[in-house]
PDB file of all heavy atoms in Angstrom:
ATOM      1  N   GLU T 166       2.458  12.575   3.780  1.00  0.00           N
ATOM      2  CA  GLU T 166       1.562  12.775   2.640  1.00  0.00           C
ATOM      3  C   GLU T 166       0.174  13.277   3.046  1.00  0.00           C
ATOM      4  O   GLU T 166      -0.755  13.358   2.236  1.00  0.00           O
ATOM      5  CB  GLU T 166       1.345  11.408   1.930  1.00  0.00           C
ATOM      6  CG  GLU T 166       2.611  10.732   1.468  1.00  0.00           C
ATOM      7  CD  GLU T 166       3.157  11.317   0.172  1.00  0.00           C
ATOM      8  OE1 GLU T 166       2.547  12.243  -0.368  1.00  0.00           O
ATOM      9  OE2 GLU T 166       4.177  10.788  -0.268  1.00  0.00           O
ATOM     10  N   ARG T 169      -2.392  15.518   1.120  1.00  0.00           N
ATOM     11  CA  ARG T 169      -3.192  15.031  -0.020  1.00  0.00           C
ATOM     12  C   ARG T 169      -4.549  14.534   0.442  1.00  0.00           C
ATOM     13  O   ARG T 169      -5.414  14.303  -0.387  1.00  0.00           O
ATOM     14  CB  ARG T 169      -2.464  13.819  -0.639  1.00  0.00           C
ATOM     15  CG  ARG T 169      -1.200  14.165  -1.281  1.00  0.00           C
ATOM     16  CD  ARG T 169      -0.614  12.868  -1.776  1.00  0.00           C
ATOM     17  NE  ARG T 169       0.289  13.204  -2.888  1.00  0.00           N
ATOM     18  CZ  ARG T 169       0.729  12.343  -3.780  1.00  0.00           C
ATOM     19  NH1 ARG T 169       0.330  11.094  -3.729  1.00  0.00           N
ATOM     20  NH2 ARG T 169       1.507  12.694  -4.727  1.00  0.00           N
ATOM     21  N   CYS T 170      -4.686  14.231   1.691  1.00  0.00           N
ATOM     22  CA  CYS T 170      -5.893  13.610   2.198  1.00  0.00           C
ATOM     23  C   CYS T 170      -6.675  14.574   3.078  1.00  0.00           C
ATOM     24  O   CYS T 170      -7.859  14.412   3.303  1.00  0.00           O
ATOM     25  CB  CYS T 170      -5.574  12.356   3.005  1.00  0.00           C
ATOM     26  SG  CYS T 170      -4.210  11.357   2.358  1.00  0.00           S
ATOM     27  N   GLY T 172      -7.996  17.572   3.050  1.00  0.00           N
ATOM     28  CA  GLY T 172      -9.207  18.288   2.610  1.00  0.00           C
ATOM     29  C   GLY T 172     -10.486  17.505   2.868  1.00  0.00           C
ATOM     30  O   GLY T 172     -11.516  18.110   3.142  1.00  0.00           O
ATOM     31  N   CYS T 173     -10.419  16.220   2.781  1.00  0.00           N
ATOM     32  CA  CYS T 173     -11.631  15.394   3.009  1.00  0.00           C
ATOM     33  C   CYS T 173     -11.566  14.580   4.316  1.00  0.00           C
ATOM     34  O   CYS T 173     -12.591  14.092   4.768  1.00  0.00           O
ATOM     35  CB  CYS T 173     -11.838  14.457   1.850  1.00  0.00           C
ATOM     36  SG  CYS T 173     -12.019  15.286   0.264  1.00  0.00           S
ATOM     37  N   HIS T 174     -10.383  14.389   4.876  1.00  0.00           N
ATOM     38  CA  HIS T 174     -10.248  13.488   6.019  1.00  0.00           C
ATOM     39  C   HIS T 174      -9.808  14.122   7.332  1.00  0.00           C
ATOM     40  O   HIS T 174      -9.733  13.452   8.358  1.00  0.00           O
ATOM     41  CB  HIS T 174      -9.334  12.324   5.665  1.00  0.00           C
ATOM     42  CG  HIS T 174      -9.874  11.426   4.588  1.00  0.00           C
ATOM     43  ND1 HIS T 174     -11.019  10.663   4.786  1.00  0.00           N
ATOM     44  CD2 HIS T 174      -9.505  11.232   3.318  1.00  0.00           C
ATOM     45  CE1 HIS T 174     -11.271  10.005   3.679  1.00  0.00           C
ATOM     46  NE2 HIS T 174     -10.389  10.314   2.780  1.00  0.00           N
ATOM     47  N   VAL T 182     -17.730  17.340   3.822  1.00  0.00           N
ATOM     48  CA  VAL T 182     -17.652  15.926   3.510  1.00  0.00           C
ATOM     49  C   VAL T 182     -18.290  15.083   4.634  1.00  0.00           C
ATOM     50  O   VAL T 182     -18.958  14.084   4.433  1.00  0.00           O
ATOM     51  CB  VAL T 182     -16.219  15.468   3.272  1.00  0.00           C
ATOM     52  CG1 VAL T 182     -16.172  14.142   2.543  1.00  0.00           C
ATOM     53  CG2 VAL T 182     -15.467  16.517   2.438  1.00  0.00           C
ATOM     54  N   HIS T 186     -20.893  12.033   4.613  1.00  0.00           N
ATOM     55  CA  HIS T 186     -20.386  10.682   4.816  1.00  0.00           C
ATOM     56  C   HIS T 186     -20.278  10.281   6.304  1.00  0.00           C
ATOM     57  O   HIS T 186     -19.913   9.117   6.599  1.00  0.00           O
ATOM     58  CB  HIS T 186     -19.013  10.521   4.155  1.00  0.00           C
ATOM     59  CG  HIS T 186     -19.068  10.634   2.664  1.00  0.00           C
ATOM     60  ND1 HIS T 186     -19.385   9.568   1.855  1.00  0.00           N
ATOM     61  CD2 HIS T 186     -18.890  11.691   1.855  1.00  0.00           C
ATOM     62  CE1 HIS T 186     -19.352   9.946   0.592  1.00  0.00           C
ATOM     63  NE2 HIS T 186     -19.085  11.226   0.557  1.00  0.00           N
ATOM     64  N   GLN T 189     -16.988   9.002  10.611  1.00  0.00           N
ATOM     65  CA  GLN T 189     -16.037   7.946  10.349  1.00  0.00           C
ATOM     66  C   GLN T 189     -14.953   8.394   9.353  1.00  0.00           C
ATOM     67  O   GLN T 189     -13.805   7.938   9.413  1.00  0.00           O
ATOM     68  CB  GLN T 189     -16.813   6.729   9.769  1.00  0.00           C
ATOM     69  CG  GLN T 189     -16.009   5.674   9.081  1.00  0.00           C
ATOM     70  CD  GLN T 189     -15.389   4.671  10.049  1.00  0.00           C
ATOM     71  OE1 GLN T 189     -15.748   4.707  11.222  1.00  0.00           O
ATOM     72  NE2 GLN T 189     -14.481   3.834   9.553  1.00  0.00           N
ATOM     73  N   ILE T 190     -15.340   9.342   8.477  1.00  0.00           N
ATOM     74  CA  ILE T 190     -14.413   9.790   7.453  1.00  0.00           C
ATOM     75  C   ILE T 190     -13.183  10.557   8.010  1.00  0.00           C
ATOM     76  O   ILE T 190     -12.160  10.631   7.353  1.00  0.00           O
ATOM     77  CB  ILE T 190     -15.201  10.640   6.408  1.00  0.00           C
ATOM     78  CG1 ILE T 190     -14.415  10.630   5.073  1.00  0.00           C
ATOM     79  CG2 ILE T 190     -15.424  12.039   6.915  1.00  0.00           C
ATOM     80  CD1 ILE T 190     -15.233  11.207   3.923  1.00  0.00           C
ATOM     81  N   TRP T 192     -10.326  10.342   9.670  1.00  0.00           N
ATOM     82  CA  TRP T 192      -9.291   9.475  10.286  1.00  0.00           C
ATOM     83  C   TRP T 192      -8.002  10.245  10.572  1.00  0.00           C
ATOM     84  O   TRP T 192      -7.086   9.685  11.117  1.00  0.00           O
ATOM     85  CB  TRP T 192      -9.022   8.222   9.462  1.00  0.00           C
ATOM     86  CG  TRP T 192      -8.762   8.426   8.005  1.00  0.00           C
ATOM     87  CD1 TRP T 192      -9.632   8.266   6.965  1.00  0.00           C
ATOM     88  CD2 TRP T 192      -7.513   8.823   7.402  1.00  0.00           C
ATOM     89  NE1 TRP T 192      -9.032   8.544   5.789  1.00  0.00           N
ATOM     90  CE2 TRP T 192      -7.731   8.886   6.010  1.00  0.00           C
ATOM     91  CE3 TRP T 192      -6.234   9.148   7.895  1.00  0.00           C
ATOM     92  CZ2 TRP T 192      -6.721   9.237   5.096  1.00  0.00           C
ATOM     93  CZ3 TRP T 192      -5.222   9.483   7.019  1.00  0.00           C
ATOM     94  CH2 TRP T 192      -5.474   9.544   5.633  1.00  0.00           C
ATOM     95  N   HIS T 208     -10.057   2.452  13.321  1.00  0.00           N
ATOM     96  CA  HIS T 208     -11.090   2.415  12.281  1.00  0.00           C
ATOM     97  C   HIS T 208     -10.932   1.178  11.366  1.00  0.00           C
ATOM     98  O   HIS T 208     -11.637   1.048  10.382  1.00  0.00           O
ATOM     99  CB  HIS T 208     -11.038   3.696  11.399  1.00  0.00           C
ATOM    100  CG  HIS T 208     -11.598   4.889  12.124  1.00  0.00           C
ATOM    101  ND1 HIS T 208     -11.931   6.055  11.447  1.00  0.00           N
ATOM    102  CD2 HIS T 208     -11.865   5.131  13.425  1.00  0.00           C
ATOM    103  CE1 HIS T 208     -12.385   6.927  12.324  1.00  0.00           C
ATOM    104  NE2 HIS T 208     -12.353   6.414  13.534  1.00  0.00           N
ATOM    105  N   LEU T 210      -8.503   0.381   9.302  1.00  0.00           N
ATOM    106  CA  LEU T 210      -8.056   0.748   7.961  1.00  0.00           C
ATOM    107  C   LEU T 210      -6.763  -0.014   7.560  1.00  0.00           C
ATOM    108  O   LEU T 210      -6.271   0.128   6.443  1.00  0.00           O
ATOM    109  CB  LEU T 210      -7.838   2.257   7.836  1.00  0.00           C
ATOM    110  CG  LEU T 210      -9.104   3.086   8.146  1.00  0.00           C
ATOM    111  CD1 LEU T 210      -8.823   4.562   8.041  1.00  0.00           C
ATOM    112  CD2 LEU T 210     -10.260   2.668   7.204  1.00  0.00           C
ATOM    113  N   LYS T 220      -7.421  -0.628   3.655  1.00  0.00           N
ATOM    114  CA  LYS T 220      -8.211   0.458   3.072  1.00  0.00           C
ATOM    115  C   LYS T 220      -7.408   1.746   2.930  1.00  0.00           C
ATOM    116  O   LYS T 220      -7.610   2.479   1.994  1.00  0.00           O
ATOM    117  CB  LYS T 220      -9.402   0.765   3.999  1.00  0.00           C
ATOM    118  CG  LYS T 220     -10.643  -0.095   3.694  1.00  0.00           C
ATOM    119  CD  LYS T 220     -11.806   0.528   4.451  1.00  0.00           C
ATOM    120  CE  LYS T 220     -13.050  -0.343   4.340  1.00  0.00           C
ATOM    121  NZ  LYS T 220     -14.120   0.182   5.233  1.00  0.00           N
ATOM    122  N   ILE T 221      -6.486   1.954   3.897  1.00  0.00           N
ATOM    123  CA  ILE T 221      -5.698   3.196   3.842  1.00  0.00           C
ATOM    124  C   ILE T 221      -4.813   3.250   2.581  1.00  0.00           C
ATOM    125  O   ILE T 221      -4.407   4.319   2.155  1.00  0.00           O
ATOM    126  CB  ILE T 221      -4.851   3.320   5.130  1.00  0.00           C
ATOM    127  CG1 ILE T 221      -4.313   4.752   5.324  1.00  0.00           C
ATOM    128  CG2 ILE T 221      -3.694   2.345   5.188  1.00  0.00           C
ATOM    129  CD1 ILE T 221      -5.325   5.759   5.718  1.00  0.00           C
ATOM    130  N   LYS T 224      -7.943   2.549  -0.938  1.00  0.00           N
ATOM    131  CA  LYS T 224      -8.861   3.668  -1.259  1.00  0.00           C
ATOM    132  C   LYS T 224      -8.110   4.697  -2.113  1.00  0.00           C
ATOM    133  O   LYS T 224      -8.547   5.011  -3.230  1.00  0.00           O
ATOM    134  CB  LYS T 224      -9.392   4.309   0.022  1.00  0.00           C
ATOM    135  CG  LYS T 224     -10.420   3.450   0.754  1.00  0.00           C
ATOM    136  CD  LYS T 224     -11.822   3.749   0.279  1.00  0.00           C
ATOM    137  CE  LYS T 224     -12.817   2.872   0.999  1.00  0.00           C
ATOM    138  NZ  LYS T 224     -14.182   3.076   0.457  1.00  0.00           N
ATOM    139  N   PRO T 225      -6.977   5.244  -1.648  1.00  0.00           N
ATOM    140  CA  PRO T 225      -6.325   6.273  -2.474  1.00  0.00           C
ATOM    141  C   PRO T 225      -5.764   5.733  -3.793  1.00  0.00           C
ATOM    142  O   PRO T 225      -5.560   6.494  -4.711  1.00  0.00           O
ATOM    143  CB  PRO T 225      -5.212   6.831  -1.565  1.00  0.00           C
ATOM    144  CG  PRO T 225      -4.967   5.758  -0.548  1.00  0.00           C
ATOM    145  CD  PRO T 225      -6.272   5.076  -0.354  1.00  0.00           C
ATOM    146  N   GLU T 230     -13.658   1.269  -4.439  1.00  0.00           N
ATOM    147  CA  GLU T 230     -14.306   2.554  -4.698  1.00  0.00           C
ATOM    148  C   GLU T 230     -13.870   3.558  -3.648  1.00  0.00           C
ATOM    149  O   GLU T 230     -13.816   3.246  -2.445  1.00  0.00           O
ATOM    150  CB  GLU T 230     -15.827   2.287  -4.599  1.00  0.00           C
ATOM    151  CG  GLU T 230     -16.619   3.291  -5.426  1.00  0.00           C
ATOM    152  CD  GLU T 230     -18.098   3.039  -5.252  1.00  0.00           C
ATOM    153  OE1 GLU T 230     -18.536   1.893  -5.496  1.00  0.00           O
ATOM    154  OE2 GLU T 230     -18.801   3.992  -4.851  1.00  0.00           O
ATOM    155  N   HIS T 231     -13.541   4.767  -4.081  1.00  0.00           N
ATOM    156  CA  HIS T 231     -13.068   5.797  -3.133  1.00  0.00           C
ATOM    157  C   HIS T 231     -13.728   7.128  -3.490  1.00  0.00           C
ATOM    158  O   HIS T 231     -13.614   7.616  -4.607  1.00  0.00           O
ATOM    159  CB  HIS T 231     -11.549   5.928  -3.222  1.00  0.00           C
ATOM    160  CG  HIS T 231     -11.013   6.978  -2.323  1.00  0.00           C
ATOM    161  ND1 HIS T 231      -9.961   7.814  -2.624  1.00  0.00           N
ATOM    162  CD2 HIS T 231     -11.367   7.344  -1.053  1.00  0.00           C
ATOM    163  CE1 HIS T 231      -9.713   8.656  -1.622  1.00  0.00           C
ATOM    164  NE2 HIS T 231     -10.563   8.383  -0.638  1.00  0.00           N
ATOM    165  N   GLY T 232     -14.401   7.711  -2.498  1.00  0.00           N
ATOM    166  CA  GLY T 232     -15.098   8.997  -2.661  1.00  0.00           C
ATOM    167  C   GLY T 232     -14.130  10.071  -3.143  1.00  0.00           C
ATOM    168  O   GLY T 232     -14.540  11.069  -3.726  1.00  0.00           O
ATOM    169  N   GLY T 233     -12.838   9.897  -2.852  1.00  0.00           N
ATOM    170  CA  GLY T 233     -11.823  10.897  -3.249  1.00  0.00           C
ATOM    171  C   GLY T 233     -11.110  10.532  -4.546  1.00  0.00           C
ATOM    172  O   GLY T 233     -10.145  11.180  -4.906  1.00  0.00           O
ATOM    173  N   LYS T 236      -5.726   8.968  -5.747  1.00  0.00           N
ATOM    174  CA  LYS T 236      -4.819   9.978  -5.220  1.00  0.00           C
ATOM    175  C   LYS T 236      -3.359   9.725  -5.601  1.00  0.00           C
ATOM    176  O   LYS T 236      -2.529  10.620  -5.637  1.00  0.00           O
ATOM    177  CB  LYS T 236      -4.943  10.112  -3.668  1.00  0.00           C
ATOM    178  CG  LYS T 236      -6.291  10.352  -3.098  1.00  0.00           C
ATOM    179  CD  LYS T 236      -7.096  11.420  -3.817  1.00  0.00           C
ATOM    180  CE  LYS T 236      -6.529  12.825  -3.707  1.00  0.00           C
ATOM    181  NZ  LYS T 236      -7.382  13.747  -4.514  1.00  0.00           N
ATOM    182  N   PHE T 237      -3.020   8.465  -5.808  1.00  0.00           N
ATOM    183  CA  PHE T 237      -1.699   8.106  -6.308  1.00  0.00           C
ATOM    184  C   PHE T 237      -1.774   6.731  -6.942  1.00  0.00           C
ATOM    185  O   PHE T 237      -2.782   6.030  -6.737  1.00  0.00           O
ATOM    186  CB  PHE T 237      -0.606   8.189  -5.193  1.00  0.00           C
ATOM    187  CG  PHE T 237      -0.899   7.370  -3.950  1.00  0.00           C
ATOM    188  CD1 PHE T 237      -0.598   6.023  -3.877  1.00  0.00           C
ATOM    189  CD2 PHE T 237      -1.468   7.989  -2.831  1.00  0.00           C
ATOM    190  CE1 PHE T 237      -0.846   5.284  -2.732  1.00  0.00           C
ATOM    191  CE2 PHE T 237      -1.741   7.261  -1.672  1.00  0.00           C
ATOM    192  CZ  PHE T 237      -1.418   5.901  -1.625  1.00  0.00           C
ATOM    193  N   PHE T 247       3.744   3.964   1.568  1.00  0.00           N
ATOM    194  CA  PHE T 247       2.564   3.452   2.299  1.00  0.00           C
ATOM    195  C   PHE T 247       2.811   1.986   2.591  1.00  0.00           C
ATOM    196  O   PHE T 247       2.586   1.491   3.697  1.00  0.00           O
ATOM    197  CB  PHE T 247       1.285   3.642   1.484  1.00  0.00           C
ATOM    198  CG  PHE T 247       0.544   4.905   1.782  1.00  0.00           C
ATOM    199  CD1 PHE T 247       1.174   6.156   1.624  1.00  0.00           C
ATOM    200  CD2 PHE T 247      -0.781   4.895   2.191  1.00  0.00           C
ATOM    201  CE1 PHE T 247       0.481   7.331   1.886  1.00  0.00           C
ATOM    202  CE2 PHE T 247      -1.487   6.082   2.455  1.00  0.00           C
ATOM    203  CZ  PHE T 247      -0.856   7.304   2.296  1.00  0.00           C
TER     204      PHE T 247
HETATM  205  C1  HEC U 502     -11.698  14.926  -2.411  1.00  0.00           C
HETATM  206  C2  HEC U 502     -11.914  14.252  -1.141  1.00  0.00           C
HETATM  207  C3  HEC U 502     -10.998  13.131  -0.725  1.00  0.00           C
HETATM  208  C4  HEC U 502      -9.611  13.110  -0.685  1.00  0.00           C
HETATM  209  C5  HEC U 502      -8.680  14.213  -1.066  1.00  0.00           C
HETATM  210  C6  HEC U 502      -9.258  11.835  -0.133  1.00  0.00           C
HETATM  211  N1  HEC U 502     -10.374  11.141   0.153  1.00  0.00           N
HETATM  212 FE1  HEC U 502     -10.444   9.335   1.066  1.00  0.00          FE
HETATM  213  N2  HEC U 502     -12.483   9.388   1.069  1.00  0.00           N
HETATM  214  C7  HEC U 502     -13.255  10.365   0.538  1.00  0.00           C
HETATM  215  C8  HEC U 502     -14.659  10.069   0.744  1.00  0.00           C
HETATM  216  C9  HEC U 502     -15.828  10.931   0.280  1.00  0.00           C
HETATM  217  C10 HEC U 502     -14.720   8.835   1.412  1.00  0.00           C
HETATM  218  C11 HEC U 502     -15.985   8.088   1.891  1.00  0.00           C
HETATM  219  C12 HEC U 502     -16.495   7.194   0.831  1.00  0.00           C
HETATM  220  C13 HEC U 502     -15.590   6.043   0.635  1.00  0.00           C
HETATM  221  O1  HEC U 502     -15.465   5.197   1.541  1.00  0.00           O
HETATM  222  O2  HEC U 502     -14.980   5.962  -0.410  1.00  0.00           O
HETATM  223  C14 HEC U 502     -13.314   8.433   1.612  1.00  0.00           C
HETATM  224  C15 HEC U 502     -12.943   7.291   2.293  1.00  0.00           C
HETATM  225  C16 HEC U 502     -11.636   6.948   2.577  1.00  0.00           C
HETATM  226  C17 HEC U 502     -11.270   5.854   3.409  1.00  0.00           C
HETATM  227  C18 HEC U 502     -12.217   4.935   4.129  1.00  0.00           C
HETATM  228  C19 HEC U 502     -12.519   5.503   5.485  1.00  0.00           C
HETATM  229  C20 HEC U 502     -13.383   4.600   6.315  1.00  0.00           C
HETATM  230  O3  HEC U 502     -13.248   4.626   7.533  1.00  0.00           O
HETATM  231  O4  HEC U 502     -14.200   3.846   5.747  1.00  0.00           O
HETATM  232  C21 HEC U 502      -9.887   5.810   3.407  1.00  0.00           C
HETATM  233  C22 HEC U 502      -9.027   4.865   4.203  1.00  0.00           C
HETATM  234  C23 HEC U 502      -9.428   6.919   2.608  1.00  0.00           C
HETATM  235  N3  HEC U 502     -10.507   7.583   2.102  1.00  0.00           N
HETATM  236  C24 HEC U 502      -8.093   7.208   2.389  1.00  0.00           C
HETATM  237  C25 HEC U 502      -7.631   8.345   1.726  1.00  0.00           C
HETATM  238  C26 HEC U 502      -6.248   8.706   1.632  1.00  0.00           C
HETATM  239  C27 HEC U 502      -5.086   7.896   2.222  1.00  0.00           C
HETATM  240  C28 HEC U 502      -6.205   9.924   1.000  1.00  0.00           C
HETATM  241  C29 HEC U 502      -4.970  10.741   0.688  1.00  0.00           C
HETATM  242  C30 HEC U 502      -3.862  10.067   0.068  1.00  0.00           C
HETATM  243  C31 HEC U 502      -7.580  10.273   0.693  1.00  0.00           C
HETATM  244  N4  HEC U 502      -8.401   9.308   1.146  1.00  0.00           N
HETATM  245  C32 HEC U 502      -7.948  11.436   0.070  1.00  0.00           C
HETATM  246  C33 HEC U 502     -12.784  11.517  -0.056  1.00  0.00           C
HETATM  247  C34 HEC U 502     -11.430  11.851  -0.201  1.00  0.00           C
END
Side-chain angles (χ1 to χ4, degrees):
E166 304 281 1
R169 293 177 155 198
C170 323
C173 300
H174 293 294
V182 197
H186 296 275
Q189 164 83 10
I190 203 168
W192 52 260
H208 286 196
L210 302 178
K220 273 193 186 171
I221 196 71
K224 288 269 179 186
E230 207 182 304
H231 179 218
K236 305 315 295 176
F237 53 85
F247 267 57

